[in-house]
PDB file of all heavy atoms in Angstrom:
ATOM      1  N   LEU A 463     -10.131  53.024 -72.845  1.00  0.00           N
ATOM      2  CA  LEU A 463     -11.487  52.490 -72.902  1.00  0.00           C
ATOM      3  C   LEU A 463     -12.101  52.524 -71.513  1.00  0.00           C
ATOM      4  O   LEU A 463     -11.445  52.198 -70.524  1.00  0.00           O
ATOM      5  CB  LEU A 463     -11.477  51.053 -73.419  1.00  0.00           C
ATOM      6  CG  LEU A 463     -10.944  50.838 -74.845  1.00  0.00           C
ATOM      7  CD1 LEU A 463     -10.878  49.356 -75.165  1.00  0.00           C
ATOM      8  CD2 LEU A 463     -11.829  51.549 -75.858  1.00  0.00           C
ATOM      9  N   ALA A 464     -13.387  52.894 -71.453  1.00  0.00           N
ATOM     10  CA  ALA A 464     -14.083  52.917 -70.165  1.00  0.00           C
ATOM     11  C   ALA A 464     -15.582  52.940 -70.401  1.00  0.00           C
ATOM     12  O   ALA A 464     -16.090  53.731 -71.207  1.00  0.00           O
ATOM     13  CB  ALA A 464     -13.668  54.141 -69.354  1.00  0.00           C
ATOM     14  N   VAL A 465     -16.287  52.057 -69.729  1.00  0.00           N
ATOM     15  CA  VAL A 465     -17.742  52.041 -69.791  1.00  0.00           C
ATOM     16  C   VAL A 465     -18.253  53.011 -68.734  1.00  0.00           C
ATOM     17  O   VAL A 465     -17.997  52.831 -67.544  1.00  0.00           O
ATOM     18  CB  VAL A 465     -18.300  50.629 -69.523  1.00  0.00           C
ATOM     19  CG1 VAL A 465     -19.825  50.658 -69.516  1.00  0.00           C
ATOM     20  CG2 VAL A 465     -17.792  49.648 -70.566  1.00  0.00           C
ATOM     21  N   SER A 466     -18.972  54.049 -69.173  1.00  0.00           N
ATOM     22  CA  SER A 466     -19.496  55.030 -68.231  1.00  0.00           C
ATOM     23  C   SER A 466     -20.808  55.599 -68.744  1.00  0.00           C
ATOM     24  O   SER A 466     -21.041  55.655 -69.963  1.00  0.00           O
ATOM     25  CB  SER A 466     -18.489  56.157 -68.010  1.00  0.00           C
ATOM     26  OG  SER A 466     -18.264  56.845 -69.223  1.00  0.00           O
ATOM     27  N   ILE A 467     -21.632  56.021 -67.811  1.00  0.00           N
ATOM     28  CA  ILE A 467     -22.941  56.601 -68.144  1.00  0.00           C
ATOM     29  C   ILE A 467     -23.141  57.840 -67.281  1.00  0.00           C
ATOM     30  O   ILE A 467     -22.867  57.817 -66.081  1.00  0.00           O
ATOM     31  CB  ILE A 467     -24.081  55.596 -67.866  1.00  0.00           C
ATOM     32  CG1 ILE A 467     -23.837  54.295 -68.658  1.00  0.00           C
ATOM     33  CG2 ILE A 467     -25.434  56.190 -68.256  1.00  0.00           C
ATOM     34  CD1 ILE A 467     -24.783  53.177 -68.285  1.00  0.00           C
ATOM     35  N   GLU A 468     -23.599  58.917 -67.881  1.00  0.00           N
ATOM     36  CA  GLU A 468     -23.795  60.146 -67.141  1.00  0.00           C
ATOM     37  C   GLU A 468     -24.828  59.950 -66.035  1.00  0.00           C
ATOM     38  O   GLU A 468     -25.820  59.231 -66.199  1.00  0.00           O
ATOM     39  CB  GLU A 468     -24.254  61.267 -68.078  1.00  0.00           C
ATOM     40  CG  GLU A 468     -23.187  61.700 -69.067  1.00  0.00           C
ATOM     41  CD  GLU A 468     -23.664  62.855 -69.939  1.00  0.00           C
ATOM     42  OE1 GLU A 468     -24.758  63.388 -69.643  1.00  0.00           O
ATOM     43  OE2 GLU A 468     -22.951  63.212 -70.883  1.00  0.00           O
ATOM     44  N   LYS A 469     -24.568  60.612 -64.915  1.00  0.00           N
ATOM     45  CA  LYS A 469     -25.440  60.469 -63.750  1.00  0.00           C
ATOM     46  C   LYS A 469     -26.861  60.936 -64.053  1.00  0.00           C
ATOM     47  O   LYS A 469     -27.839  60.356 -63.566  1.00  0.00           O
ATOM     48  CB  LYS A 469     -24.861  61.272 -62.584  1.00  0.00           C
ATOM     49  CG  LYS A 469     -25.593  61.057 -61.273  1.00  0.00           C
ATOM     50  CD  LYS A 469     -24.918  61.803 -60.134  1.00  0.00           C
ATOM     51  CE  LYS A 469     -25.655  61.561 -58.821  1.00  0.00           C
ATOM     52  NZ  LYS A 469     -24.992  62.290 -57.696  1.00  0.00           N
ATOM     53  N   SER A 470     -26.987  61.981 -64.883  1.00  0.00           N
ATOM     54  CA  SER A 470     -28.322  62.502 -65.220  1.00  0.00           C
ATOM     55  C   SER A 470     -29.157  61.458 -65.946  1.00  0.00           C
ATOM     56  O   SER A 470     -30.382  61.390 -65.784  1.00  0.00           O
ATOM     57  CB  SER A 470     -28.187  63.759 -66.078  1.00  0.00           C
ATOM     58  OG  SER A 470     -27.475  63.471 -67.277  1.00  0.00           O
ATOM     59  N   ILE A 471     -28.497  60.610 -66.756  1.00  0.00           N
ATOM     60  CA  ILE A 471     -29.202  59.546 -67.464  1.00  0.00           C
ATOM     61  C   ILE A 471     -29.568  58.423 -66.494  1.00  0.00           C
ATOM     62  O   ILE A 471     -30.674  57.872 -66.537  1.00  0.00           O
ATOM     63  CB  ILE A 471     -28.358  59.009 -68.626  1.00  0.00           C
ATOM     64  CG1 ILE A 471     -28.102  60.117 -69.647  1.00  0.00           C
ATOM     65  CG2 ILE A 471     -29.025  57.812 -69.290  1.00  0.00           C
ATOM     66  CD1 ILE A 471     -27.182  59.718 -70.785  1.00  0.00           C
ATOM     67  N   LEU A 472     -28.630  58.092 -65.612  1.00  0.00           N
ATOM     68  CA  LEU A 472     -28.896  57.029 -64.630  1.00  0.00           C
ATOM     69  C   LEU A 472     -30.107  57.369 -63.760  1.00  0.00           C
ATOM     70  O   LEU A 472     -30.858  56.479 -63.350  1.00  0.00           O
ATOM     71  CB  LEU A 472     -27.664  56.825 -63.750  1.00  0.00           C
ATOM     72  CG  LEU A 472     -26.455  56.144 -64.407  1.00  0.00           C
ATOM     73  CD1 LEU A 472     -25.257  56.171 -63.457  1.00  0.00           C
ATOM     74  CD2 LEU A 472     -26.779  54.704 -64.791  1.00  0.00           C
ATOM     75  N   CYS A 473     -30.291  58.653 -63.485  1.00  0.00           N
ATOM     76  CA  CYS A 473     -31.410  59.062 -62.623  1.00  0.00           C
ATOM     77  C   CYS A 473     -32.772  58.828 -63.269  1.00  0.00           C
ATOM     78  O   CYS A 473     -33.798  58.794 -62.579  1.00  0.00           O
ATOM     79  CB  CYS A 473     -31.266  60.548 -62.262  1.00  0.00           C
ATOM     80  SG  CYS A 473     -29.870  60.877 -61.161  1.00  0.00           S
ATOM     81  N   THR A 474     -32.816  58.654 -64.600  1.00  0.00           N
ATOM     82  CA  THR A 474     -34.097  58.461 -65.296  1.00  0.00           C
ATOM     83  C   THR A 474     -34.487  56.994 -65.396  1.00  0.00           C
ATOM     84  O   THR A 474     -35.603  56.679 -65.818  1.00  0.00           O
ATOM     85  CB  THR A 474     -34.010  59.053 -66.719  1.00  0.00           C
ATOM     86  OG1 THR A 474     -33.031  58.314 -67.481  1.00  0.00           O
ATOM     87  CG2 THR A 474     -33.610  60.523 -66.660  1.00  0.00           C
TER      88      THR A 474
END
Side-chain angles (χ1 to χ4, degrees):
L463 298 175
V465 177
S466 63
I467 303 171
E468 292 182 8
K469 187 176 181 180
S470 59
I471 298 175
L472 288 173
C473 291
T474 64

